[in-house]
Amino acid sequence: MPSRASVLDEAIAELPLTFPIPNPKSHGSLITVKDLHREEDLLRNPHSFRAWWSAITTTREAINAQQKLEGPLDLPEEIVALLGPLAAPSARLSFQRLTYMYEAALSQFPNSFKLWKSYLTFRLSFVVGKLEIKKRAGGKKKFPTMHEALEDEKEDLEQWHGGLDGVVGWEEWKSLVAAFERALMWLPKLPRLWLMYLSIFNHPSCPPPLAYAHARHTYDRALRTLPPSLHSRLWVRYLLWAETRGGATTVAVFRRYLTVDPSITEYFTALLLAPRQSAPRPLEAAKLLLSLARKAARGEYASPEGKSPYQLLGDWIEVVENFSEEVGFDIDDTDASNDAIARSEDETTNTVQEVEPVSSDGKLIRFAGPAIPVTADGKETRPYDEDEDPKSTRKLNIEHIIRKDGLTVYKDQAGRLWTGLAAYWLKRGEFDRAKETFEQGIGCVVTMRDFTQIFDAYAEFLESLSSALLEEVDDEEGDEKADDMDELDLRMKEFEDLMDRRPFLANDVVLRRNPNDVQQWEKRVALWGEDDTKIAETYSKALETINPRKATANFHRLYVNFARFYEDGGTAKQAETDLDSARKILDKGTKVNFRAVEDLAEVWCEWAEMELRHDNYDEAVRVMQRAAAIPKNPKINYHDHTLSAQARLFKSLKLWSFYVDLEESIGTVESTKAIYDKILELRIANAQIIINYAAFLEENKYFEESFKAYERGVELFTFPVSYEIWNVYLSKFVKRYGGSKIERARDLFEQALEKCPPNLAKHLFLMYAKLEEEHGLAKRSMNIFERATQVVPDTNKFEMYTIYIAKATANYGLTATRPIYQRAIEVLPNQQTAEMCLRFAALERKLGEIDRARAIYAHASQFCDPRVNPKFWSQWNSFEIETGSEDTFREMLRIKRSVQAQFNTEASYLTAQTAAARQGIKQAEEDGQTQDAMALAEKQAKGPAFVAAQKAGPPRAESNGTAAAQNADEIQISDEED
C-alpha cells in the first residue's frame, strides 16, 4: 500500500488539471471508446446547443453515478484537507473531462448565460467545495436600508465545506478566476456572474493575492461596469469583504461609501473601535460620532438605530472616556485651545461686519445676517471643521466640545456630561483638573438627578484615590511614606469636607433652579445651625434675591423670622437683643409689594406683637395706626391685583382684627368702638366681627348699642350669613328683656323670618314659639307652629309636626290634635305619612274611636309595601287581633294582598326589594319554620284570639314536615279567601 506522502506527491504532481485546458491530444484518457459516438454526433452538429447540453448533462450524470458506486474513498485526512473535492483520482479525471466539454461548448456558444453559469458552478464545486444551503423563514424587505442589508447579508454569506488549498491549488484558483474573467468579458452586464465571482474572495482558502488586491480591483470594476441601480447589491458584499480585511482597506472602502450614504456611519464607528484584524482608530471614530451628533441636533441626520442626538453624543463621550490619550488634548493644549477660542469669539463680537449689498443680481433680497453659501440644489453648506474631519490627525478639545455641544444644548442632562468630562481627565491622570471639573459641575446643575450623579462620581473618585494612596503607604517606608501620609490626610479631609457640604450643595441646586423658593431659603438657614454670622448673611441674601411677585408661599415669614433672630439675640439666644435692627427689617418688609395683602398685614401685626412682648404698648399702637391709615380715596377694590399691597392694606380684615384686639386689651372703650366703627364703615366686617362688637358692648354695659351693632350687622349681610347674627341677636334680646318688650321682640322675629330661607327657618320659628309660650299667648304660639309647618322644607316637616302636636296636646288636649294629624297626613311624604298615621291611629284607639283608627290604618296601607314596612302591618295585625272581628281581620288580609299585588306590578317593586335587602328585613321565621298570620297572632297573644263556633279544623303541617301544635279553638282563615 503506497504511503500517504507518495499519494499526496502523486496528486500534487497532476496539478494543474485545467491549465492549459485539457484536450484529447494532451490527455488521452478524456475520451473512451464509449464516447466516440457522442463525439461524432457533436462533430456533425457543432452548432446545436441541445446536442452540447445533452452531452454535458449525460456526462455529468454518468460521473455522479460512478462516484456513488465507488463510495467514499479511504484517503488520508491531510490529503482531503489540502485537495478537497480533487483528492480522489477519479474526481480529478472527471474534473478534466467536464472542463474539456464545457470549454468545447463555450467555443461554439460564448454568449450563453446558461452555459457559463453551469460551467462556473461546476468549477466552483471542485475548487471551493460543497456550498451549504441555508433555509430562511420569511422573505426579505424589498427596499432595505444599508444597515439592515448588512445584517441580513451576514447571515446569507456563502459557506463551503472543504475546498482546494490556496497554496497547493494555486494554479487551479487562478484558472477559476480566469474562467470568471472570460465569462465577464462576454457577459459583463449580468450581476449574477459578478456576485458568483465576488463570492470566492470570501472563501477561507482563497489565495491572498486573489483575496486582497485582486478582489478590491474586481469590486471596483463591478461598480464601474454595472448600472447604479444594481450598486446596492454590490456594496453590501464589498463592505462585508472590507470588514473582514481590516486596516486601511476597511477604512478606504467605508469612506468611499459614506460619501454617498452616511447612514452606516454608526456601523463604521463600531468597526473602527473593535476591528477584526487591525488596531482601533478611536480618533477617527470620535470625529465621526461628533459629526453625527451635531447633524442630528440640526435635524440633518436620523439614526437608523433610533438614537437621539443626545444618545449619539453619549456614544462620543464613551469613546472619549475609553480612549482619552488617543482622542483628546492634554491640559496645556486644552488651555491654549480655550484661550484661542475665547480670543476668536471676542474678535467676532467686537468686529463690525462689512455692509454687503442687498442684492447681487437683483433677484435675491437678504434681510439680515451674512451671506450663507449654498450648493447647487439649494442646501446650505457648513464651513470646514477639523473636529469633524476623520482624515485629520489633530486631536480634539474635549472641554470645549462638551461645553458647546453638550452643556449648552442639553441642560437637562448635565450630570452625564460633567461626569464624562471628569472621567476623561481621570483617565489621563489629571486629578486636580478632574476635581475642578466636578466642582464646576456641582456648582452649575439645576436638578437633583444631575447633582446626585455628579456627587456620587465625585465621592467615588475621592474614595478610590484615598484607597490607592493607603495601599501605597503600606508598601513604602521612610521619607516617601511620610509624604504620602500627608497627602493621604489631605485627601481624606477633602472627602470628609465633601460629605459635610452635601446638604448645602443640594440646597444650592434647588435654589439655582428656583431662587424664589422661600422654603428652601428657610432650610438653608436651618443648615447653619448656631452660626449667627452665616444665618444673618443667608437671610440678607435671600431678601435681596427673591422677587416678591414670584416668591412661593410665606415670603413674609422671612422678614418676620429675620427680625425675630435679632430680637432673640441670635439662634442660641446668647447675644444681646437688637430691637433697632429688628425694627429696620420689619420696616423694610412693610415696603415690599407682596403678592397677598394678608402677608403684608401679618408683617405689621408681627411688628406690633414684638413691641408688645417688650412692653412698648404705645409703640405697638402707633405701629397699628400707621398700618391702618385710611387713604383719601377709600373706594379702592381690595381684589384689584394691579394695585400694590400697600394701597389695599387698609381693607385687610386680618389687620383690623388685630388692631381691634389690641385696643380691647390696652385701649379704652371709646377707642375700641372707634375701631369697630371704622371696620363697619369700610364694609369689610364679617359676621364674627359684628358678634364680637356686640359682645364687647354688652360686656361694658352698653346693651342698646350692642343691639344697634346687631342691627347694623343684619343690614350689611344677607342670609345665610345674617342667620348667625339673627340667632345671637334674638337670643340675647329675649334673654335680657323677656316679656317686657314683647312687641319689639315680635317685630324682630317677623323681620328675621321675612327674608329667611326655608332651610334655616326652623330654629327661628322654635325660638319665636317659645317666646310666645313663655311670655305671650298660647294661641299665637300655635299659630307660629302652624306657619312653621307650612314654611320649613319637607325634610323638617315631620319633626315640626311632631313638636306642633306635642304642644297642642299640652295646651288643648288630645282631641285638638286631630286636625293637625289630618293636615300632616296630607302634606308629608309617603314614608313619613305612614309613621304619622300609626301615631294618629294610636291616638284614636286611646280615645276609643276604633273605627276611626281602622280607617286610618286602611288609608296608610296604600303607602306601605309589606316587604319593606313589616312594622306597620304587624301593628295593624295586633290591632285587629285585640279589637277586631273575623270580618275586619279578613278585610285587613285582603287589603294586604291587594297592596302587595299593586307593588308587584309597579316599577317600584325592584326598588322596594332592594331597600328591604339593605335593611336586612326578612319574613317572620322561627327555628326555620314559617307560620301564617294567625299563628303569629296567637303566639303574640299567648293564646287563641277567637273561639270557634264548631269543631276545629285539622292541624296545619309545618314546613319541615313535623306536626304543628294543635289548638282546638283556632279558626282556620286562608290568606287566599276573600
Side-chain angles (χ1 to χ4, degrees), residues 286 289-290 312-320 396 398 401-402:
L289 285 174
L290 178 61
L312 293 172
L313 187 65
D315 294 342
W316 175 80
I317 292 176
E318 290 182 2
V319 175
V320 169
L396 303 174
I398 305 301
I401 294 174
I402 288 182

Side-chain angles (χ1 to χ4, degrees), residues 40 254 329 400 556 671-672 807 838 931:
E40 290 176 357
F254 271 87
F329 289 155
H400 174 68
H556 62 283
S671 63
T672 306
K807 295 295 183 181
L838 289 176
Q931 300 175 345

